[in-house]
Amino acid sequence: MPFSITTWNINSVRLRIDQVTRFLAEHEPDVLCLQETKCPNAQFPSAAFRAHGYQHIALNGQKGYHGVAIVSRVPFADVEVKHFCDKDDSRYISVELAGTGAPGGANGRVKGMRIHNFYVPAGGDIPDPEVNPRFAHKLAFLDELMLWNEDVRPAGKPSILVGDLNVAPYETDVWNHKALLGVVSHTPVETERLEAFRQASTYVDAVRTLHPEPEKVFTWWSYRSPDWAAANKGRRLDHVWLAPSLAPALQASEISRDARGWERPSDHAPVTVTLDI
């Protein structure tokens, strides 16, 4: 039976609730993980999600910045929030699925699955931690992930790690590898850290499994581009990683590029992975 999960940096969930509910109506993922919700928990538009069948909601939000959320058709057995780099910002939430109560979709076979939802710091514009505190924070966050990999290592129970990781790790994850080597999100100091963490934690990159290099794959297009679709100067910043035990169930992946062209869009497109479990 198919089980689908979507990750999407929505860049303000309240501002773009119409885009989110449109996506849910058209694609109907079992679980939607959002980043950059920019919304305190008490002001999250839960009613709109529940009206579309997403009764189970886990939040880690704050006013104006950051924020992550998981909305689901499947009940949660557990919710966990963690802070990184001794900062009380909202960049991580995880849930364990209870595996019952999903109408016509995922069922008991997802029971015990852990979903990790991350929003890694963007890092600012200058790729020098000595002069740019935001870039220093990003590198520290990635380093802390490496120290933490024993906790997220998908041993025993199946798990999925998703989110806006704000790193385009491979040459064909950006529109021009050579031009972007000195640009935050694609510098070697970032890409090497993220790939080291993925390998150490043993996760499988779902999108690249189905769309291996040299195919170019993008999930983000800058607002600064006057004609983003024609220029297609994108980057792959949004990721879905699977525990090795789930990799054989990988069925499909989709980047909903059309959503980037909707009215008042996020600069990120939703990324959906479907498993046959």
Side-chain angles (χ1 to χ4, degrees):
M1 182 174 292
F3 170 82
S4 58
I5 182 169
T6 298
T7 182
W8 193 3
N9 179 317
I10 194 57
N11 192 14
S12 179
V13 66
R14 289 177 291 176
L15 181 64
R16 296 186 171 83
I17 189 59
D18 290 343
Q19 290 90 331
V20 177
T21 54
R22 175 181 173 180
F23 176 83
L24 293 177
E26 293 180 1
H27 294 268
E28 300 183 328
D30 292 293
V31 177
L32 171 65
C33 297
L34 297 171
Q35 304 87 38
E36 208 171 353
T37 56
K38 298 181 177 179
C39 179
N41 292 349
Q43 297 177 22
F44 189 84
S46 299
F49 289 97
R50 293 193 170 108
H52 282 75
Y54 294 81
Q55 303 297 324
H56 311 285
I57 301 173
L59 303 173
N60 180 14
Q62 65 185 91
K63 182 179 180 180
Y65 297 93
H66 317 137
V68 286
I70 302 175
V71 301
S72 174
R73 295 173 169 181
V74 186
F76 304 143
D78 176 67
V79 177
E80 180 183 10
V81 170
K82 178 179 172 62
H83 301 292
F84 288 81
C85 302
D86 296 321
K87 291 181 178 290
D88 189 19
D89 53 7
S90 301
R91 294 188 176 276
Y92 170 81
I93 193 168
S94 77
V95 300
E96 182 179 314
L97 300 183
T100 58
N107 54 30
R109 284 176 286 186
V110 300
K111 183 177 182 180
M113 179 186 292
R114 172 67 66 174
I115 297 173
H116 302 275
N117 182 15
F118 279 96
Y119 177 41
V120 173
D125 295 326
I126 302 172
D128 184 347
E130 297 298 323
V131 298
N132 178 6
R134 296 173 64 187
F135 192 66
H137 177 210
K138 182 176 190 176
L139 297 185
F141 194 103
L142 293 171
D143 287 341
E144 194 163 318
L145 279 181
M146 179 61 80
L147 295 173
W148 191 50
N149 84 77
E150 289 295 332
D151 291 324
V152 298
R153 186 187 298 274
K157 295 180 179 180
S159 61
I160 302 176
L161 188 153
V162 308
D164 176 4
L165 305 185
N166 262 315
V167 179
Y170 305 139
E171 291 189 12
T172 53
D173 287 339
V174 295
W175 65 275
N176 187 318
H177 168 62
K178 290 184 179 179
L180 270 70
L181 273 173
V183 174
V184 173
S185 79
H186 193 60
T187 66
V189 71
E190 299 167 83
T191 61
E192 290 168 6
R193 276 171 163 82
L194 185 70
E195 187 64 3
F197 167 61
R198 187 190 65 78
Q199 292 182 7
S201 55
T202 73
Y203 279 102
V204 175
D205 185 331
V207 173
R208 275 302 179 193
T209 297
L210 295 177
H211 302 278
E213 293 192 286
E215 181 179 351
K216 287 185 179 291
V217 180
F218 308 144
T219 66
W220 173 90
W221 295 263
S222 175
Y223 286 132
R224 297 174 185 173
S225 176
D227 190 347
W228 69 272
N232 199 30
K233 293 183 176 181
R235 306 177 203 175
R236 186 173 73 109
L237 305 179
D238 307 271
H239 300 265
V240 180
W241 296 352
L242 306 175
S245 62
L246 290 176
L250 178 58
Q251 189 176 57
S253 69
E254 178 184 8
I255 297 169
S256 298
R257 179 186 166 115
D258 62 317
R260 177 63 179 84
W262 291 349
E263 186 178 357
R264 299 177 74 186
S266 169
D267 46 358
H268 295 253
V271 180
T272 303
V273 164
T274 302
L275 307 177
D276 184 11
I277 53 178

